[in-house]
Amino acid sequence: MDDPILPAPAMVYRSMGSGPSWQRIGAGVMDKSGIANDQRDVRPATWSLIYVLRGRGVYRDQDGREWALSPGWCFQRLPDRRHSTVLDPASGWRECFIDLNPALQRVLASMQALRSETPAWHWGLDAGRVQRFVDVIVALRHAGERALPGLCLDVMRLAIDAQPDPSAVAAGEDAIDRACRALAADPAGRVDLRTWCRGKGLDYERFRKDFQRRLGMPPGQYRIRRRIDRACELLETTELPIAVIANELGYPSPYEFSAQFRARMGLPPTRYRAR
């Protein structure tokens, strides 16, 4: 390990039976430092559980709901359910993951052991939990064929143990989660957070410090990041002129939009669109 709680990148898959490649189980550690658009509106063929070890990002489900991701968070990639994950490329993202084939996922979901209604939740960053992922990776790599059924049970047990308590998830819908959603829904910046906090009965300075501690950036920087995320989406999926995008996102002029986009992404909007 290159850190007491950060295992080195590794990945292993084992086939289950003689079916297609997605009929398998897998586990690994991935380093995605420098990556921004990790998954954009994808429909995965397998079920995955991702456990965030380092970095910051956003998970967006097919209904437009969003969760801010940071170390200790888990999220699911659900078979045939569209979702996106956008990462902060400067945050040094690293994750553990396990994969199950759809047949196993359906069995567990039918018993309500996997909760698809909660795609992302905070599990807490813990060295013992990280070690469980590492143990599964090592076992999958070295196990003989006769040991695979038992290892499959180990992967399923880890998937179940990581699932959130429904009551805890409901209680965890705190002010920072709500603020992140409000900022994501308002890329043009019309939401004034001081006014928003007053309406929720919150002290703004305490909220700002809690926000910084949770996400590793102040609310203003988070708003800029979400604004640039939206700009990338519009540049990739529409032919709207740069001036129209700048206006939609609340920039005073296309020049200010281009300057902030370039500072964040390393290239101007026109070159980003032409890639």
Side-chain angles (χ1 to χ4, degrees):
M1 293 186 183
D2 52 8
D3 185 277
I5 204 168
L6 284 180
M11 191 182 308
V12 59
Y13 285 91
R14 297 294 295 269
S15 297
M16 302 291 293
S18 57
S21 60
W22 51 261
Q23 290 187 349
R24 58 184 186 171
I25 55 176
V29 177
M30 297 186 70
D31 190 304
K32 297 181 177 179
S33 301
I35 295 175
N37 294 324
D38 176 36
Q39 302 281 345
R40 177 77 72 175
D41 202 31
V42 297
R43 298 173 67 98
T46 61
W47 178 89
S48 300
L49 172 74
I50 290 82
Y51 183 36
V52 183
L53 305 182
R54 184 178 65 192
R56 296 180 298 275
V58 174
Y59 178 98
R60 183 182 303 121
D61 72 4
Q62 65 181 14
D63 299 318
R65 299 181 300 169
E66 297 190 344
W67 288 261
L69 303 173
S70 57
W73 275 75
C74 290
F75 61 93
Q76 302 180 84
R77 302 195 192 280
L78 298 161
D80 298 322
R81 293 273 295 274
R82 291 187 297 106
H83 74 280
S84 300
T85 47
V86 180
L87 311 182
D88 180 345
S91 66
W93 181 280
R94 189 170 295 191
E95 66 184 43
C96 291
F97 73 88
I98 52 175
D99 284 355
L100 289 175
N101 72 59
L104 292 174
Q105 182 263 340
R106 285 194 294 269
V107 170
L108 294 178
S110 70
M111 297 185 292
Q112 297 188 330
L114 299 182
R115 310 190 66 86
S116 61
E117 74 276 12
T118 307
W121 63 94
H122 189 259
W123 196 25
L125 190 59
D126 177 85
R129 291 168 178 168
V130 176
Q131 189 60 46
R132 289 185 65 184
F133 282 88
V134 173
D135 290 344
V136 166
I137 294 167
V138 173
L140 283 174
R141 176 172 290 125
H142 298 292
E145 292 299 313
R146 295 183 64 181
L148 281 180
L151 285 178
C152 183
L153 293 176
D154 289 342
V155 174
M156 294 168 70
R157 188 174 298 112
L158 177 54
I160 293 169
D161 289 347
Q163 293 296 299
D165 176 1
S167 60
V169 170
E173 183 67 17
D174 62 8
I176 294 175
D177 295 323
R178 295 196 300 271
C180 287
R181 294 175 196 242
L183 292 171
D186 177 47
R190 298 182 181 89
V191 172
D192 178 75
L193 280 179
R194 290 183 181 274
T195 302
W196 186 88
C197 284
R198 282 198 298 271
K200 305 293 183 184
L202 301 171
D203 177 76
Y204 174 75
E205 288 304 319
R206 180 174 179 179
F207 165 82
R208 183 181 60 80
K209 291 176 182 177
D210 288 344
F211 193 103
Q212 169 85 39
R213 184 165 51 250
R214 169 89 69 86
L215 273 75
M217 69 183 79
Q221 286 297 314
Y222 182 81
R223 168 175 270 157
I224 291 171
R225 190 178 79 179
R226 299 318 318 277
R227 186 179 282 177
I228 297 300
D229 288 344
R230 177 60 176 160
C232 290
E233 184 177 342
L234 291 172
L235 290 167
E236 292 172 7
T237 61
T238 76
E239 297 182 359
L240 291 173
I242 300 300
V244 173
I245 293 176
N247 182 67
E248 181 172 325
L249 296 178
Y251 287 93
S253 73
Y255 306 104
E256 292 191 38
F257 164 59
S258 295
Q260 191 170 86
F261 189 95
R262 182 168 190 163
R264 182 75 183 181
M265 301 301 295
L267 70 171
T270 50
R271 284 183 55 197
Y272 182 90
R273 170 175 271 169
R275 293 181 311 164

